[in-house]
Amino acid sequence: MKSIDEIRAEIENYKIENAEALEQFRLNFLSKKSELQSMFGEIKNIAPEERKGFGQMLNELKDKAQQRFEEQKSKMEAAICSLNTIADVTRPSANIPLGSMHPISIMMNQVRRIFEDIGFTAVTGPDIEDDWHVFTALNFAEEHPARDMQDTFFVELHPDVLLRTHTSSLQVRTMEKQQPPIRVICPGRVFRNEAITSRAHCIFHQVEGLYVAEKVSFADMKQTLLYFAQRMFGPDVRIRLRPSYFPFTEPSAEMDVSCYICGGEGCNLCKHTGWVEILGCGMVDPNVLENCGIDSEKYSGFAFGLGIERMTMLKYRTNDIRLYFENDVRFLQQFKAATL
Ligand code: DAH
């Protein structure tokens, strides 16, 4: 059995730094099963003349332990209490950070809103397509390079199951289902087997537009696109159409807007040309109308297609397309104001 002195030293030196240690202290010296308590049971085995002294010493130790326990306990309670008084319970809670919309969604919505305001309806369709809707119905020649495995992702190497390379497939799907007048825009994700660089990605987004009715003219297209450019980039923006080629439009054009940064004077953004290319467009080729069951003698139409990443990069002046796919919150947060 430990000596009375040893137990006294233990009681005095026991390190009580936290609630667990306090409880352990209680178990060691104050609980019924503690060594100290069991020593009370030994009293009867002690010579009668020594019993009184022994009992007194045990009681002393017990009181000492009890006192130390109480002291430490109230110290701890006081510490917790002072923590509580430091905390200001009336302080408003910290804001839960608000998310922001992804810049691609913001731009998609803007484009969509502009066209919806002049009577276009948004339609969507499958990302996984077939050759007919992406190429053949759109007048792509059999040996057109866009069909090549270099550009197109084929699913399971099956030549008729592929990821759409442009949203023009939705022109076909719309015209197959619906007779003119047709006025739709088609937002969507597109896929091309391209090396990922700061300017190109294998996934990106397009908005396709299609207007087919009686007597739709090139002038209608020009006016529609001017309206779009001015709402998107500001009322002073001018447009310019340059001749181009797409299998599904004839004639075809590429549209530039006058540089909205320098107003056409020449700057880095427009590479000192005063113009920035923003979309492809043209009059729907009669072959395409016929392929979709629309009478090309009676109806004509125009179509256009624009790249959302490109528009977003131009509008928000970012220089790396990969930023839109990395989803780094520090990048995305900068579009909070544009979300509201
Ligand atoms: N589909 C074309 C592309 O991905 C974009 C395009 C150009 C769409 C001209 C059109 C158009 O509807 O008329 O590059």
Side-chain angles (χ1 to χ4, degrees):
M1 215 196 283
K2 285 180 189 160
S3 73
I4 298 274
D5 286 340
E6 273 177 311
I7 296 185
R8 181 181 296 116
E10 269 181 37
I11 290 174
E12 281 168 0
N13 300 327
Y14 201 91
K15 277 212 167 74
I16 307 176
E17 278 162 353
N18 51 34
E20 282 92 325
L22 183 67
E23 171 62 2
Q24 196 55 52
F25 180 89
R26 190 187 67 78
L27 291 172
N28 287 1
F29 304 108
L30 295 170
S31 79
K32 287 248 150 35
K33 288 185 185 146
S34 67
E35 209 172 2
L36 182 55
Q37 294 297 326
S38 64
M39 282 166 95
F40 281 95
E42 298 298 324
I43 293 180
K44 60 181 185 307
N45 303 328
I46 286 185
E49 65 280 13
E50 282 176 27
R51 272 185 204 160
K52 194 172 169 210
F54 186 70
Q56 268 173 357
M57 278 193 287
L58 284 185
N59 276 329
E60 233 178 77
L61 278 189
K62 193 184 142 191
D63 291 343
K64 204 174 185 61
Q66 189 68 42
Q67 196 188 342
R68 192 136 193 246
F69 177 77
E70 298 297 345
E71 263 173 25
Q72 294 297 328
K73 193 171 159 209
S74 38
K75 257 194 211 161
M76 271 179 206
E77 281 168 354
I80 291 171
C81 221
S82 74
L83 262 186
N84 284 345
T85 43
I86 289 168
D88 173 2
V89 293
T90 63
R91 196 175 78 174
S93 59
N95 283 339
I96 298 168
L98 272 186
S100 49
M101 243 207 274
H102 194 284
I104 297 300
S105 303
I106 295 172
M107 182 52 76
M108 278 281 202
N109 288 349
Q110 275 181 21
V111 173
R112 204 171 147 156
R113 169 90 55 88
I114 293 171
F115 283 106
E116 280 174 351
D117 282 354
I118 51 169
F120 283 75
T121 303
V123 296
T124 55
D127 291 4
I128 302 173
E129 267 291 5
D130 52 31
D131 179 276
W132 169 257
H133 291 95
V134 177
F135 298 126
T136 304
L138 287 165
N139 210 28
F140 278 79
E142 200 56 57
E143 64 290 348
H144 194 282
R147 293 171 180 245
D148 200 303
M149 309 259 298
Q150 304 281 313
D151 286 314
T152 308
F153 286 115
F154 290 89
V155 175
E156 291 174 1
L157 292 180
H158 192 301
D160 203 29
V161 184
L162 49 98
L163 298 180
R164 66 180 174 202
T165 55
H166 55 182
T167 43
S168 305
S169 53
L170 286 164
Q171 285 189 30
V172 180
R173 287 194 175 272
T174 306
M175 289 192 285
E176 281 175 340
K177 279 202 292 257
Q178 191 190 328
Q179 282 295 307
I182 293 171
R183 217 172 339 181
V184 290
I185 50 161
C186 323
R189 201 181 284 144
V190 300
F191 308 85
R192 286 184 200 174
N193 193 359
E194 293 207 33
I196 298 172
T197 66
S198 63
R199 323 216 93 237
H201 209 289
C202 57
I203 305 177
F204 54 102
H205 299 78
Q206 290 187 332
V207 172
E208 184 82 11
L210 175 70
Y211 179 32
V212 184
E214 283 181 49
K215 300 196 180 80
V216 175
S217 71
F218 199 89
D220 294 328
M221 178 180 87
K222 203 172 153 188
Q223 194 57 34
T224 304
L225 294 176
L226 174 64
Y227 158 82
F228 166 71
Q230 293 187 334
R231 274 205 50 192
M232 179 57 78
F233 294 105
D236 298 331
V237 152
R238 288 160 291 133
I239 61 169
R240 144 178 119 168
L241 292 165
R242 281 177 292 105
S244 184
Y245 172 79
F246 299 102
F248 37 89
T249 44
E250 183 58 38
S252 305
E254 257 154 327
M255 187 176 97
D256 300 339
V257 291
S258 58
C259 182
Y260 49 89
I261 299 295
C262 63
E265 305 260 295
C267 68
N268 274 345
L269 182 85
C270 60
K271 302 207 185 73
H272 301 278
T273 63
W275 296 95
V276 185
E277 183 194 323
I278 62 161
L279 55 80
C281 57
M283 301 305 291
V284 181
D285 192 300
N287 286 342
V288 175
L289 295 176
E290 294 295 336
N291 284 341
C292 301
I294 288 176
D295 182 354
S296 64
E297 298 288 330
K298 188 167 174 203
Y299 297 111
S300 57
F302 66 77
F304 54 88
L306 55 91
I308 291 292
E309 277 76 5
R310 184 173 164 72
M311 295 281 291
T312 313
M313 286 168 82
L314 291 173
K315 185 139 187 198
Y316 296 112
R317 310 202 60 193
T318 55
N319 55 10
D320 194 324
I321 196 171
R322 290 169 292 200
L323 288 167
Y324 296 110
F325 298 91
E326 282 162 5
N327 288 333
D328 184 326
V329 175
R330 291 168 301 177
F331 174 68
L332 298 180
Q333 268 177 346
Q334 296 177 52
F335 295 90
K336 223 175 242 180
T339 306
L340 303 173

